[in-house]
Amino acid sequence: MGLARFAALSVFVFPALVACNEDNTLGLGDSSRQRFAATMTGFQVRPIPVITTTTAIAQISIRQPDVGEVGRQLTYAIVGTNLTSAISAHIHLGGAAIGSGPILLTLYRNPTDSVLTDPTLVTGLIPEGALSFSLDSLAALMSTGAA
């Protein structure tokens, strides 16, 4: 079983979730981008926590459109330490306080549970129009630890 269940890696973007602003002293880049981070351990696995040395960090941000682009995007990256197995990574409604609440968004799928060799589990982006909810709603939930 190992870390496969850790990697139901239900990105409980749990209360350790922190919103932050880019510290850009050159005035370049999108300092208004909303950024969130979550550190995941075996303790957050639901329904049954596991003991493991594996950890993962999810970096999630809401990217404003560049010139010529239409609509915002959710960008994300999940990087693990000692992560050799993962089935999926999600953002759940309810955060860590609820446990395994309904899945709002799937960020990663590995149904065959193939062995992982790269510390970067996944990176990607999802256009706001592809979601059944607004990025503002998701940001509000993540800011309060409710997703």
Side-chain angles (χ1 to χ4, degrees):
M1 177 168 133
L3 207 27
R5 302 321 138 213
F6 167 79
L9 202 97
S10 304
V11 178
F12 280 118
V13 183
F14 70 110
L17 199 58
V18 179
C20 59
N21 288 322
E22 183 176 334
D23 294 329
N24 186 338
T25 58
L26 299 175
L28 302 173
D30 184 2
S31 63
S32 66
R33 181 184 287 198
Q34 291 176 285
R35 297 176 188 270
F36 304 90
T39 300
M40 298 158 288
T41 67
F43 182 73
Q44 282 93 28
V45 173
R46 298 295 182 264
I48 301 168
V50 297
I51 296 172
T52 179
T53 60
T54 300
T55 60
I57 296 174
Q59 300 284 338
I60 299 169
S61 67
I62 298 174
R63 182 176 165 270
Q64 300 300 321
D66 287 332
V67 174
E69 291 181 343
V70 177
R72 299 179 300 168
Q73 300 172 334
L74 179 81
T75 62
Y76 57 93
I78 301 174
V79 178
T81 302
N82 300 322
L83 181 62
T84 59
S85 176
I87 297 171
S88 61
H90 307 107
I91 297 175
H92 285 262
L93 182 61
I98 301 298
S100 55
I103 295 171
L104 292 174
L105 190 58
T106 298
L107 304 176
Y108 174 78
R109 285 191 184 124
N110 182 12
T112 61
D113 197 17
S114 56
V115 174
L116 304 173
T117 57
D118 189 337
T120 301
L121 180 65
V122 65
T123 62
L125 61 88
I126 301 170
E128 184 169 29
L131 301 171
S132 61
F133 48 84
S134 75
L135 288 177
D136 292 332
S137 296
L138 181 62
L141 289 169
M142 291 191 301
S143 292
T144 62

